[in-house]
Amino acid sequence: MKQLNVGLIGGGFMAKAHSLAYATMPMFFWPAPAIPVRKAVADINLELATDAKNRFGFEKAYGDWRELIADPEIDIVDIVTPNNVHAEMAIAAAKAGKHIICEKPLARTSKETKAMLDAVEKAGVIHMVAFNYRRTPAVQLAKKFIEEGRIGRILSFRGTYLQDWSADPASPLSWRFKKDIAGSGALGDIAAHVIDMARYLTGEFESVNAMVKTWIPERPIQQGGLDKLGTVKSSADTPKGVVDVDDEVSFLINFESGAIGSIESTRNAHGRNNYITFEIHGETGSIFFNYERRDELQVCFADDPADVKGFRTIYTGPAHPYGEGLWPIPALGIGYSETKIVECYDFFKAIVDGTQPSPNFYDGYQIERICDAVLESGQRKEWVKISSIE
């Protein structure tokens, strides 16, 4: 069976998630399209890279990502770093002829993502952007129902992504609160996932009208050890720095199909952990999904008998998308790691088949154009057409 050697750049939370997927994908999807080999990992210095190598089961460690990309044994470059270095790394990997998977958002701006897209298309390599939530079987089932026409022409999409991890003003000024590193705040960090689902299920955006807010304008500058989110602990007398990205975005959508919609996203919603939802209304039915109950898809079809009409709950399992590779009993439990395993499977299958997966760098570019339009709309306080964003 074909083997593909993976070079992972970054050693944090996402490195763990991706490494787990490489280790277990063949256990779930057998025979696997190819066997992932955890060949090398790079971090900002050799000490951190060596620690990641030992922790995540890689064979080699590099203290410079450029050495990893230059390694002739590497077939795939996996980028799980802060957003500001995605473009440089991906463009270099494409020039070296490596296949690439990159964490979301693809980069900080649409200009950067366009350069990445141009590079992979010129090199002819396989490329993917890691919007793993769309690979939840219930989301795939929603896509199946839509494509089969079960809810008819889509009229509206309503989506949310709500978290509370930054609602505390004492949360430190990590890179996620810095525009020069992150590009945007809640928008690129979490709302991008819902934008991906909206495009995937409802179609391309035509225009947006947004409100953009920063609720906590300054935060303690990082000092001390790491907290559970990989940021740095602070004390009461720690000096503060400026937050120059959004804490919350809320925007209306006109889709090219004529459907309308809205997306709300914040990292300041006390009591919300990873609350990703969408509700889609069509002419002949509705679909509702809540990621915190990710084994479930709620559906209502207009042709249901009157005495049972209303939302019903489908528990995903063997009869549903990816069911043959996951767990044998409906509602046995789909977790975050399984979405990464499915993502890994689809990426490796695309490489072996020589076809581009979805979402790829083109999708990442389109999503970043939407994000740029949302920020522009928030500043101008008016509708902004996506076509106006280069």
Side-chain angles (χ1 to χ4, degrees), residues 26-38:
M27 303 179 196
F28 283 82
F29 295 95
W30 186 264
I35 301 297
V37 177
R38 286 162 284 163

Side-chain angles (χ1 to χ4, degrees), residues 317-359:
H320 303 118
Y322 298 112
E324 75 286 354
L326 295 171
W327 303 110
I329 301 172
L332 198 58
I334 297 298
Y336 181 82
S337 58
E338 280 86 350
T339 67
K340 283 297 184 185
I341 291 166
V342 171
E343 180 179 81
C344 177
Y345 167 76
D346 283 345
F347 184 50
F348 273 64
K349 189 175 187 301
I351 293 172
V352 172
D353 293 346
T355 58
Q356 292 298 345
S358 177

Side-chain angles (χ1 to χ4, degrees), residues 247-372:
D247 286 324
E248 182 163 348
V249 295
S250 183
F251 56 97
L252 302 176
I253 308 161
N254 282 318
F255 291 92
E256 289 184 356
S257 66
I260 62 174
S262 65
I263 291 176
E264 176 189 359
S265 185
T266 180
R267 300 181 297 201
N268 288 56
H270 287 290
R272 291 300 185 190
N273 297 306
N274 205 48
Y275 189 71
I276 310 169
T277 72
F278 62 75
E279 185 164 333
I280 302 173
H281 300 151
E283 290 183 323
T284 59
S286 298
I287 297 172
F288 174 75
F289 172 73
N290 173 6
Y291 179 79
E292 291 183 351
R293 303 181 67 88
R294 51 192 165 273
D295 289 298
E296 303 175 9
L297 186 70
Q298 292 189 312
V299 297
C300 176
F301 301 121
D303 59 0
D304 288 339
D307 59 346
V308 296
K309 194 168 184 179
F311 275 101
R312 75 185 74 163
T313 300
I314 300 172
Y315 294 95
T316 56
H320 303 118
Y322 298 112
E324 75 286 354
L326 295 171
W327 303 110
I329 301 172
L332 198 58
I334 297 298
Y336 181 82
S337 58
E338 280 86 350
T339 67
K340 283 297 184 185
I341 291 166
V342 171
E343 180 179 81
C344 177
Y345 167 76
D346 283 345
F347 184 50
F348 273 64
K349 189 175 187 301
I351 293 172
V352 172
D353 293 346
T355 58
Q356 292 298 345
S358 177
N360 54 43
F361 279 22
Y362 172 78
D363 298 290
Y365 169 56
Q366 291 297 102
I367 289 168
E368 200 56 42
R369 291 178 70 218
I370 294 167
C371 289
D372 285 357

